[in-house]
Amino acid sequence: MSDEKALRELICEVGRRLWQLGMVAANDGNISVRLDEETVLCTPSGVSKGFMLPDIMAKLTVDGEVLGDAEASSEVAMHLEAYRVRADVNAVVHAHPPLATGYAISGRPLPVNILAETVTAFREVPVAECATPGTQEVVTAVRPHLAKHDAILLMNHGALTLGADLEQAYFRMEILEHFAKTALAVVQLGSAQEIPPEQLEQLYALRRKLGYEH
Ligand SMILES: [Zn+2]
């Protein structure tokens, strides 16, 4: 993995982008990266993601043992579970993007099959069961979805995205929220054309080629 200083700075940069785009409010959200097989950097609890400095990050093992002075976000457990389940995942982003979260609350599935980019990026976006943020319940709720999905909606809560690196995990959060915005426009317009099955198959083939099928 790339050097720790650069990763700490990138976490701050991604936090700024999440905050500027309104995907987190106040101290919402958390970001983590894998430093090596054993060690993870994570945003600390109780800070705005828009105004972080590189030296405030918490460091811990993938099994949750704290290695520094900083206390990791209360939601770090679901990040660590992602690293344990997926050897290909090196970064995790959790945010509360309003429109994607709206879908997670509405009980309506995100209609992924109306946009090629979303089919390519996600194929489908599952909704993890309602769980109290910061508890082990959240880990139990996301666990069934981690193996096969890079974007998961958390019912009555927010969204979780995974990536081979932090840019990818972050971009997946952007793609998810941008798509939720488009999907909501489609709802307001009152009709939708789904991508035909043969084109869906081509997009699934593209996913396999890009290494996005798990
Ligand atoms: Zn949250």
Side-chain angles (χ1 to χ4, degrees):
M1 287 285 317
S2 39
D3 76 287
E4 182 172 336
K5 183 169 177 287
L7 286 172
R8 285 172 179 266
E9 284 168 6
L10 187 58
I11 292 174
C12 297
E13 169 60 23
V14 163
R16 268 192 296 277
R17 291 189 219 164
L18 288 172
W19 180 79
Q20 279 170 342
L21 289 173
M23 295 207 268
V24 288
N27 298 334
D28 289 351
N30 25 78
I31 304 161
S32 70
V33 293
R34 207 200 283 264
L35 281 176
D36 54 47
E37 275 184 21
E38 287 298 310
T39 324
V40 170
L41 272 182
C42 182
T43 49
S45 61
V47 298
S48 166
K49 303 304 159 304
F51 304 90
M52 294 186 294
L53 294 171
D55 60 3
I56 68 169
M57 302 306 160
K59 200 186 243 189
L60 63 173
T61 69
V62 286
D63 294 319
E65 188 191 336
V66 180
L67 298 175
D69 297 331
E71 189 190 339
S73 159
S74 60
E75 309 257 50
V76 73
M78 69 180 165
H79 295 237
L80 299 180
E81 185 68 10
Y83 295 124
R84 288 192 293 263
V85 170
R86 293 270 299 276
D88 63 310
V89 165
N90 292 309
V92 178
V93 174
H94 164 57
H96 301 169
L99 301 177
T101 304
Y103 268 91
I105 294 167
S106 71
R108 275 172 97 131
L110 263 180
V112 172
N113 287 355
I114 59 172
L115 199 68
E117 284 72 15
T118 324
V119 175
T120 308
F122 304 131
R123 187 167 177 147
E124 59 180 18
V125 179
V127 183
E129 280 176 27
C130 182
T132 309
T135 67
Q136 198 62 24
E137 281 173 36
V138 180
V139 178
T140 308
V142 298
R143 188 179 289 134
H145 307 291
L146 287 169
K148 284 187 185 284
H149 299 96
D150 293 318
I152 299 166
L153 292 178
L154 312 176
M155 196 182 285
N156 305 96
H157 181 177
L160 186 74
T161 54
L162 319 177
D165 57 38
L166 184 50
E167 282 284 354
Q168 189 179 52
Y170 167 73
F171 278 144
R172 284 173 170 159
M173 188 63 75
E174 261 192 17
I175 292 168
L176 181 68
E177 179 64 353
H178 193 262
F179 175 68
K181 203 180 284 184
T182 303
L184 202 57
V186 172
V187 170
Q188 286 168 332
L189 291 165
S191 65
Q193 319 262 6
E194 285 206 348
I195 297 171
E198 61 274 21
Q199 282 180 31
L200 280 179
E201 288 304 324
Q202 289 172 11
L203 294 169
Y204 296 155
L206 177 61
R207 277 179 58 78
R208 285 192 288 275
K209 200 173 151 194
L210 292 168
Y212 293 173
E213 286 284 339
H214 306 295

PDB file of all heavy atoms in Angstrom, residues 130-155:
ATOM      1  N   CYS A 130     -32.608  -2.551   9.279  1.00  0.00           N
ATOM      2  CA  CYS A 130     -32.510  -1.451  10.241  1.00  0.00           C
ATOM      3  C   CYS A 130     -31.706  -1.905  11.471  1.00  0.00           C
ATOM      4  O   CYS A 130     -31.935  -2.985  12.004  1.00  0.00           O
ATOM      5  CB  CYS A 130     -33.910  -1.025  10.671  1.00  0.00           C
ATOM      6  SG  CYS A 130     -33.906   0.355  11.803  1.00  0.00           S
ATOM      7  N   ALA A 131     -30.740  -1.087  11.866  1.00  0.00           N
ATOM      8  CA  ALA A 131     -29.912  -1.406  13.027  1.00  0.00           C
ATOM      9  C   ALA A 131     -29.491  -0.102  13.687  1.00  0.00           C
ATOM     10  O   ALA A 131     -29.355   0.920  13.017  1.00  0.00           O
ATOM     11  CB  ALA A 131     -28.679  -2.198  12.593  1.00  0.00           C
ATOM     12  N   THR A 132     -29.274  -0.133  14.986  1.00  0.00           N
ATOM     13  CA  THR A 132     -28.889   1.092  15.697  1.00  0.00           C
ATOM     14  C   THR A 132     -27.442   1.447  15.368  1.00  0.00           C
ATOM     15  O   THR A 132     -26.549   0.618  15.584  1.00  0.00           O
ATOM     16  CB  THR A 132     -29.035   0.894  17.222  1.00  0.00           C
ATOM     17  OG1 THR A 132     -30.340   0.385  17.479  1.00  0.00           O
ATOM     18  CG2 THR A 132     -28.840   2.200  17.968  1.00  0.00           C
ATOM     19  N   PRO A 133     -27.200   2.674  14.842  1.00  0.00           N
ATOM     20  CA  PRO A 133     -25.833   3.061  14.489  1.00  0.00           C
ATOM     21  C   PRO A 133     -24.867   2.897  15.665  1.00  0.00           C
ATOM     22  O   PRO A 133     -25.216   3.189  16.805  1.00  0.00           O
ATOM     23  CB  PRO A 133     -25.975   4.536  14.096  1.00  0.00           C
ATOM     24  CG  PRO A 133     -27.391   4.662  13.638  1.00  0.00           C
ATOM     25  CD  PRO A 133     -28.178   3.701  14.499  1.00  0.00           C
ATOM     26  N   GLY A 134     -23.671   2.423  15.353  1.00  0.00           N
ATOM     27  CA  GLY A 134     -22.637   2.310  16.380  1.00  0.00           C
ATOM     28  C   GLY A 134     -22.691   1.006  17.165  1.00  0.00           C
ATOM     29  O   GLY A 134     -21.839   0.765  18.017  1.00  0.00           O
ATOM     30  N   THR A 135     -23.694   0.166  16.911  1.00  0.00           N
ATOM     31  CA  THR A 135     -23.790  -1.104  17.645  1.00  0.00           C
ATOM     32  C   THR A 135     -23.339  -2.264  16.761  1.00  0.00           C
ATOM     33  O   THR A 135     -23.187  -2.122  15.547  1.00  0.00           O
ATOM     34  CB  THR A 135     -25.237  -1.389  18.086  1.00  0.00           C
ATOM     35  OG1 THR A 135     -26.030  -1.629  16.903  1.00  0.00           O
ATOM     36  CG2 THR A 135     -25.821  -0.234  18.876  1.00  0.00           C
ATOM     37  N   GLN A 136     -23.190  -3.417  17.402  1.00  0.00           N
ATOM     38  CA  GLN A 136     -22.820  -4.623  16.681  1.00  0.00           C
ATOM     39  C   GLN A 136     -23.936  -5.059  15.729  1.00  0.00           C
ATOM     40  O   GLN A 136     -23.695  -5.774  14.760  1.00  0.00           O
ATOM     41  CB  GLN A 136     -22.489  -5.727  17.701  1.00  0.00           C
ATOM     42  CG  GLN A 136     -21.686  -6.897  17.165  1.00  0.00           C
ATOM     43  CD  GLN A 136     -20.296  -6.503  16.651  1.00  0.00           C
ATOM     44  OE1 GLN A 136     -19.740  -5.482  17.055  1.00  0.00           O
ATOM     45  NE2 GLN A 136     -19.750  -7.289  15.726  1.00  0.00           N
ATOM     46  N   GLU A 137     -25.165  -4.583  16.002  1.00  0.00           N
ATOM     47  CA  GLU A 137     -26.312  -4.890  15.125  1.00  0.00           C
ATOM     48  C   GLU A 137     -26.031  -4.456  13.685  1.00  0.00           C
ATOM     49  O   GLU A 137     -26.476  -5.105  12.738  1.00  0.00           O
ATOM     50  CB  GLU A 137     -27.551  -4.091  15.554  1.00  0.00           C
ATOM     51  CG  GLU A 137     -28.316  -4.593  16.738  1.00  0.00           C
ATOM     52  CD  GLU A 137     -29.396  -3.572  17.116  1.00  0.00           C
ATOM     53  OE1 GLU A 137     -29.975  -2.938  16.230  1.00  0.00           O
ATOM     54  OE2 GLU A 137     -29.625  -3.416  18.318  1.00  0.00           O
ATOM     55  N   VAL A 138     -25.318  -3.340  13.537  1.00  0.00           N
ATOM     56  CA  VAL A 138     -25.037  -2.839  12.193  1.00  0.00           C
ATOM     57  C   VAL A 138     -24.162  -3.838  11.438  1.00  0.00           C
ATOM     58  O   VAL A 138     -24.370  -4.108  10.258  1.00  0.00           O
ATOM     59  CB  VAL A 138     -24.344  -1.449  12.246  1.00  0.00           C
ATOM     60  CG1 VAL A 138     -24.052  -0.944  10.839  1.00  0.00           C
ATOM     61  CG2 VAL A 138     -25.204  -0.454  12.998  1.00  0.00           C
ATOM     62  N   VAL A 139     -23.191  -4.407  12.162  1.00  0.00           N
ATOM     63  CA  VAL A 139     -22.298  -5.392  11.548  1.00  0.00           C
ATOM     64  C   VAL A 139     -23.108  -6.607  11.092  1.00  0.00           C
ATOM     65  O   VAL A 139     -22.962  -7.098   9.971  1.00  0.00           O
ATOM     66  CB  VAL A 139     -21.193  -5.818  12.540  1.00  0.00           C
ATOM     67  CG1 VAL A 139     -20.299  -6.870  11.928  1.00  0.00           C
ATOM     68  CG2 VAL A 139     -20.382  -4.605  12.974  1.00  0.00           C
ATOM     69  N   THR A 140     -23.986  -7.068  11.963  1.00  0.00           N
ATOM     70  CA  THR A 140     -24.834  -8.215  11.629  1.00  0.00           C
ATOM     71  C   THR A 140     -25.711  -7.902  10.413  1.00  0.00           C
ATOM     72  O   THR A 140     -25.928  -8.748   9.550  1.00  0.00           O
ATOM     73  CB  THR A 140     -25.725  -8.568  12.847  1.00  0.00           C
ATOM     74  OG1 THR A 140     -24.874  -8.701  13.979  1.00  0.00           O
ATOM     75  CG2 THR A 140     -26.481  -9.855  12.641  1.00  0.00           C
ATOM     76  N   ALA A 141     -26.190  -6.663  10.338  1.00  0.00           N
ATOM     77  CA  ALA A 141     -27.084  -6.274   9.239  1.00  0.00           C
ATOM     78  C   ALA A 141     -26.353  -6.187   7.899  1.00  0.00           C
ATOM     79  O   ALA A 141     -26.895  -6.578   6.864  1.00  0.00           O
ATOM     80  CB  ALA A 141     -27.756  -4.940   9.572  1.00  0.00           C
ATOM     81  N   VAL A 142     -25.111  -5.684   7.905  1.00  0.00           N
ATOM     82  CA  VAL A 142     -24.401  -5.529   6.621  1.00  0.00           C
ATOM     83  C   VAL A 142     -23.695  -6.815   6.185  1.00  0.00           C
ATOM     84  O   VAL A 142     -23.468  -7.016   4.988  1.00  0.00           O
ATOM     85  CB  VAL A 142     -23.370  -4.363   6.610  1.00  0.00           C
ATOM     86  CG1 VAL A 142     -24.050  -3.037   6.838  1.00  0.00           C
ATOM     87  CG2 VAL A 142     -22.245  -4.576   7.585  1.00  0.00           C
ATOM     88  N   ARG A 143     -23.372  -7.682   7.155  1.00  0.00           N
ATOM     89  CA  ARG A 143     -22.552  -8.861   6.859  1.00  0.00           C
ATOM     90  C   ARG A 143     -23.052  -9.677   5.651  1.00  0.00           C
ATOM     91  O   ARG A 143     -22.249 -10.019   4.783  1.00  0.00           O
ATOM     92  CB  ARG A 143     -22.441  -9.737   8.104  1.00  0.00           C
ATOM     93  CG  ARG A 143     -21.459 -10.884   7.948  1.00  0.00           C
ATOM     94  CD  ARG A 143     -21.368 -11.719   9.214  1.00  0.00           C
ATOM     95  NE  ARG A 143     -20.696 -11.023  10.293  1.00  0.00           N
ATOM     96  CZ  ARG A 143     -21.133 -10.982  11.552  1.00  0.00           C
ATOM     97  NH1 ARG A 143     -22.266 -11.566  11.887  1.00  0.00           N
ATOM     98  NH2 ARG A 143     -20.448 -10.343  12.480  1.00  0.00           N
ATOM     99  N   PRO A 144     -24.359  -9.969   5.561  1.00  0.00           N
ATOM    100  CA  PRO A 144     -24.809 -10.814   4.438  1.00  0.00           C
ATOM    101  C   PRO A 144     -24.573 -10.176   3.064  1.00  0.00           C
ATOM    102  O   PRO A 144     -24.587 -10.874   2.060  1.00  0.00           O
ATOM    103  CB  PRO A 144     -26.314 -10.980   4.687  1.00  0.00           C
ATOM    104  CG  PRO A 144     -26.569 -10.506   6.064  1.00  0.00           C
ATOM    105  CD  PRO A 144     -25.462  -9.580   6.436  1.00  0.00           C
ATOM    106  N   HIS A 145     -24.373  -8.855   3.026  1.00  0.00           N
ATOM    107  CA  HIS A 145     -24.278  -8.152   1.741  1.00  0.00           C
ATOM    108  C   HIS A 145     -22.835  -7.841   1.328  1.00  0.00           C
ATOM    109  O   HIS A 145     -22.579  -7.460   0.188  1.00  0.00           O
ATOM    110  CB  HIS A 145     -25.061  -6.836   1.817  1.00  0.00           C
ATOM    111  CG  HIS A 145     -26.466  -7.021   2.277  1.00  0.00           C
ATOM    112  ND1 HIS A 145     -27.423  -7.658   1.518  1.00  0.00           N
ATOM    113  CD2 HIS A 145     -27.072  -6.684   3.443  1.00  0.00           C
ATOM    114  CE1 HIS A 145     -28.567  -7.694   2.189  1.00  0.00           C
ATOM    115  NE2 HIS A 145     -28.373  -7.113   3.360  1.00  0.00           N
ATOM    116  N   LEU A 146     -21.894  -7.962   2.254  1.00  0.00           N
ATOM    117  CA  LEU A 146     -20.523  -7.503   1.994  1.00  0.00           C
ATOM    118  C   LEU A 146     -19.809  -8.318   0.921  1.00  0.00           C
ATOM    119  O   LEU A 146     -19.047  -7.763   0.127  1.00  0.00           O
ATOM    120  CB  LEU A 146     -19.698  -7.550   3.286  1.00  0.00           C
ATOM    121  CG  LEU A 146     -20.019  -6.469   4.320  1.00  0.00           C
ATOM    122  CD1 LEU A 146     -19.325  -6.798   5.638  1.00  0.00           C
ATOM    123  CD2 LEU A 146     -19.602  -5.101   3.819  1.00  0.00           C
ATOM    124  N   ALA A 147     -20.048  -9.609   0.882  1.00  0.00           N
ATOM    125  CA  ALA A 147     -19.252 -10.464   0.001  1.00  0.00           C
ATOM    126  C   ALA A 147     -19.445 -10.107  -1.467  1.00  0.00           C
ATOM    127  O   ALA A 147     -18.506 -10.141  -2.250  1.00  0.00           O
ATOM    128  CB  ALA A 147     -19.591 -11.931   0.247  1.00  0.00           C
ATOM    129  N   LYS A 148     -20.661  -9.727  -1.856  1.00  0.00           N
ATOM    130  CA  LYS A 148     -20.960  -9.552  -3.283  1.00  0.00           C
ATOM    131  C   LYS A 148     -21.207  -8.112  -3.710  1.00  0.00           C
ATOM    132  O   LYS A 148     -21.402  -7.865  -4.900  1.00  0.00           O
ATOM    133  CB  LYS A 148     -22.185 -10.393  -3.651  1.00  0.00           C
ATOM    134  CG  LYS A 148     -21.884 -11.878  -3.773  1.00  0.00           C
ATOM    135  CD  LYS A 148     -23.102 -12.600  -4.296  1.00  0.00           C
ATOM    136  CE  LYS A 148     -22.920 -14.079  -4.324  1.00  0.00           C
ATOM    137  NZ  LYS A 148     -22.145 -14.678  -5.305  1.00  0.00           N
ATOM    138  N   HIS A 149     -21.254  -7.176  -2.792  1.00  0.00           N
ATOM    139  CA  HIS A 149     -21.667  -5.815  -3.167  1.00  0.00           C
ATOM    140  C   HIS A 149     -20.655  -4.755  -2.750  1.00  0.00           C
ATOM    141  O   HIS A 149     -20.043  -4.860  -1.695  1.00  0.00           O
ATOM    142  CB  HIS A 149     -23.031  -5.496  -2.558  1.00  0.00           C
ATOM    143  CG  HIS A 149     -24.108  -6.422  -3.023  1.00  0.00           C
ATOM    144  ND1 HIS A 149     -24.478  -7.530  -2.303  1.00  0.00           N
ATOM    145  CD2 HIS A 149     -24.837  -6.435  -4.151  1.00  0.00           C
ATOM    146  CE1 HIS A 149     -25.418  -8.184  -2.968  1.00  0.00           C
ATOM    147  NE2 HIS A 149     -25.652  -7.553  -4.106  1.00  0.00           N
ATOM    148  N   ASP A 150     -20.539  -3.725  -3.601  1.00  0.00           N
ATOM    149  CA  ASP A 150     -19.629  -2.614  -3.313  1.00  0.00           C
ATOM    150  C   ASP A 150     -20.372  -1.380  -2.817  1.00  0.00           C
ATOM    151  O   ASP A 150     -19.740  -0.381  -2.459  1.00  0.00           O
ATOM    152  CB  ASP A 150     -18.832  -2.261  -4.566  1.00  0.00           C
ATOM    153  CG  ASP A 150     -17.875  -3.381  -4.937  1.00  0.00           C
ATOM    154  OD1 ASP A 150     -17.234  -3.940  -4.027  1.00  0.00           O
ATOM    155  OD2 ASP A 150     -17.777  -3.705  -6.137  1.00  0.00           O
ATOM    156  N   ALA A 151     -21.699  -1.421  -2.851  1.00  0.00           N
ATOM    157  CA  ALA A 151     -22.510  -0.328  -2.307  1.00  0.00           C
ATOM    158  C   ALA A 151     -23.709  -0.950  -1.598  1.00  0.00           C
ATOM    159  O   ALA A 151     -24.389  -1.798  -2.168  1.00  0.00           O
ATOM    160  CB  ALA A 151     -22.988   0.602  -3.419  1.00  0.00           C
ATOM    161  N   ILE A 152     -23.925  -0.534  -0.364  1.00  0.00           N
ATOM    162  CA  ILE A 152     -25.008  -1.099   0.443  1.00  0.00           C
ATOM    163  C   ILE A 152     -25.755   0.069   1.082  1.00  0.00           C
ATOM    164  O   ILE A 152     -25.138   0.976   1.651  1.00  0.00           O
ATOM    165  CB  ILE A 152     -24.438  -2.017   1.549  1.00  0.00           C
ATOM    166  CG1 ILE A 152     -23.654  -3.178   0.933  1.00  0.00           C
ATOM    167  CG2 ILE A 152     -25.547  -2.539   2.461  1.00  0.00           C
ATOM    168  CD1 ILE A 152     -22.778  -3.937   1.932  1.00  0.00           C
ATOM    169  N   LEU A 153     -27.085   0.057   0.973  1.00  0.00           N
ATOM    170  CA  LEU A 153     -27.883   1.048   1.697  1.00  0.00           C
ATOM    171  C   LEU A 153     -28.174   0.505   3.088  1.00  0.00           C
ATOM    172  O   LEU A 153     -28.393  -0.704   3.258  1.00  0.00           O
ATOM    173  CB  LEU A 153     -29.201   1.325   0.962  1.00  0.00           C
ATOM    174  CG  LEU A 153     -29.089   2.035  -0.384  1.00  0.00           C
ATOM    175  CD1 LEU A 153     -30.473   2.181  -1.014  1.00  0.00           C
ATOM    176  CD2 LEU A 153     -28.436   3.401  -0.220  1.00  0.00           C
ATOM    177  N   LEU A 154     -28.152   1.378   4.075  1.00  0.00           N
ATOM    178  CA  LEU A 154     -28.439   0.991   5.455  1.00  0.00           C
ATOM    179  C   LEU A 154     -29.806   1.566   5.811  1.00  0.00           C
ATOM    180  O   LEU A 154     -29.977   2.787   5.853  1.00  0.00           O
ATOM    181  CB  LEU A 154     -27.371   1.556   6.402  1.00  0.00           C
ATOM    182  CG  LEU A 154     -25.910   1.347   5.982  1.00  0.00           C
ATOM    183  CD1 LEU A 154     -24.983   2.056   6.975  1.00  0.00           C
ATOM    184  CD2 LEU A 154     -25.573  -0.125   5.880  1.00  0.00           C
ATOM    185  N   MET A 155     -30.773   0.706   6.017  1.00  0.00           N
ATOM    186  CA  MET A 155     -32.157   1.147   6.233  1.00  0.00           C
ATOM    187  C   MET A 155     -32.239   2.126   7.403  1.00  0.00           C
ATOM    188  O   MET A 155     -31.629   1.901   8.447  1.00  0.00           O
ATOM    189  CB  MET A 155     -33.048  -0.065   6.488  1.00  0.00           C
ATOM    190  CG  MET A 155     -34.524   0.244   6.337  1.00  0.00           C
ATOM    191  SD  MET A 155     -35.536  -1.197   6.699  1.00  0.00           S
ATOM    192  CE  MET A 155     -35.288  -2.166   5.220  1.00  0.00           C
TER     193      MET A 155
END
